[in-house]
Amino acid sequence: MTRLRTPATIAASLALVLTVAGCGASVSDDKDKRDENATAAGGKGGHYPVTITNCGTETTYDKAPERVVTNDVGITEIMFALGLEDRMAGYVMPDDKGDLDAVPYKDAYDKVPWLSKREINRELVLDARADLVFAGWNYGFRESEGFTPAALKKLGVGSYLLTESCRNGVGKARGVMSPLDALYTDLRTLGKIFDVEERAEELVRDYQRQIADAAARAPKERPTVFLYDDGRDKPFTSGRYAGPHDIITKAGGDHVMKDLKDSWVTVGWETVVERDPEVIVINDYGDTSAAQKRKFLLDYPPLAGVSAIRNKRIFTLDYADLVESPRNAAAVTALGDYLRSVRRDGNRPR
């Protein structure tokens, strides 16, 4: 078990009313409870120490981390949804992940430094004087560059791994639970680390309610759905442990790659043709626009006979909707509306 000691707690206000994406719900303020804990037991706080398990590793926190660096949009917005921007030293994220002005966390994005639009690395973390890095395998952590939780530990910096990215013991395959359960796990675990458990539970309840409402309205006959991330020679897509699996399933679709026991994976076009999806969902991000991806799919000869291509049933979701993030519930609702329209309209092209 790792024991992580963090600097003394900063007395900072968390007076925040957060509008949750897609639902308009407000989240109560935990400031009074945290301030009371911070002054108890000689300043150590009655809440601490706390021990959590993250990707199979136990860590004990004597204090709440004060200078967290996050990597990628979904991870960053998990912190924002919990109202923890005052605990952050900054975030790392490319500028191809969507319009940040249109999200309910705009104030938090304006407040927290955008440290880099390139890859996260040790120098950046040390320059930010980070005491915790919240990232994941293939969401920042990678052995090829020597940027791993073990390497950061040697530098005295703690790590928290995105649960969607936990490795499952089969090579470097990722995924130890359903994607939405991974989101709920991270919210609750971070709630415990930062003493905002009530806030975390309210978020989980709200997301579960939104998803249950969408699932209750799902079409009786589920359209088959393929997630297209990118790739020309071979498509990059989602297995059963990446966010799109649960988003598709809860929205009322049948995920054609649900048998792949990994998160984000590469497959062959022949597999897509064989499974003949009725709907294709495009992941909108990167240098190739959603419109360009759509044109490629419609013009690619091997896909000409696929149902989704013949009927032009292609739906777009943003990157932040599809990776583990607070936007997942709203994505279920949006895709669910589209899948119901597919069933209502029969074979008419969309």
Side-chain angles (χ1 to χ4, degrees):
M1 181 177 72
T2 302
R3 191 169 187 84
L4 178 65
R5 298 184 180 274
T6 61
T9 304
I10 298 174
S13 170
L14 275 178
L16 174 70
V17 177
L18 176 66
T19 301
V20 181
C23 70
S26 63
V27 181
S28 61
D29 183 15
D30 295 315
K31 178 182 183 297
D32 291 343
K33 177 174 176 285
R34 288 173 60 183
D35 286 350
E36 288 171 6
N37 284 345
T39 58
K44 192 171 187 177
H47 180 77
Y48 299 96
V50 295
T51 299
I52 59 94
T53 301
N54 172 229
C55 289
T57 298
E58 281 193 353
T59 303
T60 296
Y61 291 81
D62 291 336
K63 303 279 186 183
E66 297 174 347
R67 297 190 59 80
V68 182
V69 170
T70 58
N71 184 75
D72 212 17
V73 58
I75 290 170
T76 300
E77 292 187 4
I78 288 173
M79 291 290 288
F80 291 166
L82 288 167
L84 295 173
E85 57 267 26
D86 70 327
R87 300 288 184 178
M88 294 176 62
Y91 63 90
V92 177
M93 186 173 71
D95 57 3
D96 62 359
K97 299 299 174 63
D99 180 7
L100 301 183
D101 290 333
V103 301
Y105 315 109
K106 184 179 185 307
D107 289 345
Y109 274 115
D110 289 343
K111 179 179 179 181
V112 178
W114 192 341
L115 299 176
S116 176
K117 298 179 182 181
R118 294 177 168 271
E119 291 184 339
I120 191 170
N121 56 53
R122 285 177 291 182
E123 292 72 21
L124 180 150
V125 168
L126 292 174
D127 286 346
R129 296 181 290 114
D131 54 8
L132 185 76
V133 172
F134 181 10
W137 291 116
N138 288 28
Y139 289 97
F141 288 128
R142 55 204 180 279
E143 283 97 348
S144 61
E145 303 295 327
F147 189 77
T148 65
L152 289 178
K153 184 180 177 182
K154 292 179 181 178
L155 299 172
V157 180
S159 300
Y160 184 90
L161 280 161
L162 186 75
T163 295
E164 181 195 300
S165 79
C166 294
R167 288 174 172 167
N168 58 31
V170 182
K172 293 184 178 180
R174 296 171 292 164
V176 294
M177 63 182 72
S178 76
L180 285 172
D181 284 338
L183 172 64
Y184 304 150
T185 294
D186 285 332
L187 288 168
R188 286 169 169 146
T189 305
L190 291 163
K192 187 175 182 181
I193 292 171
F194 290 94
D195 194 13
V196 290
E197 290 172 276
E198 183 178 341
R199 186 186 296 267
E201 286 299 330
E202 189 166 348
L203 287 168
V204 171
R205 286 194 299 269
D206 186 75
Y207 298 153
Q208 289 176 330
R209 177 190 58 76
Q210 289 182 70
I211 290 164
D213 287 349
R217 293 180 289 120
K220 292 182 179 179
E221 185 183 350
R222 291 174 170 264
T224 53
V225 182
F226 171 67
L227 184 285
Y228 177 60
D229 181 284
D230 206 347
R232 299 299 176 98
D233 294 336
K234 292 183 177 181
F236 194 56
T237 187
S238 164
R240 69 180 300 112
Y241 292 121
H245 172 74
D246 270 0
I247 291 168
I248 291 167
T249 302
K250 298 296 184 184
D254 180 6
H255 181 207
V256 297
M257 298 298 172
K258 59 182 179 290
D259 59 316
L260 302 180
K261 296 180 180 179
D262 203 339
S263 57
W264 297 92
V265 295
T266 299
V267 297
W269 284 118
E270 62 275 8
T271 303
V272 179
V273 172
E274 178 185 345
R275 299 186 181 190
D276 192 22
E278 296 171 81
V279 173
I280 294 176
V281 175
I282 288 175
N283 186 2
D284 186 11
Y285 79 104
D287 294 333
T288 305
S289 70
Q292 290 171 319
K293 290 177 183 180
R294 177 187 174 90
K295 185 177 187 307
F296 165 73
L297 292 170
L298 292 173
D299 294 345
Y300 190 49
L303 297 180
V306 170
S307 176
I309 300 302
R310 292 198 319 270
N311 295 296
K312 297 182 179 178
R313 294 199 188 107
I314 300 174
F315 187 71
T316 298
L317 286 169
D318 288 339
Y319 174 90
D321 296 327
L322 294 166
V323 295
E324 183 191 319
S325 85
R327 303 195 207 183
N328 293 160
V332 172
T333 299
L335 181 58
D337 290 344
Y338 180 78
L339 295 182
R340 286 195 304 278
S341 76
V342 166
R343 281 295 173 245
R344 283 197 307 270
D345 295 344
N347 290 325
R348 283 186 294 166
R350 301 286 300 170

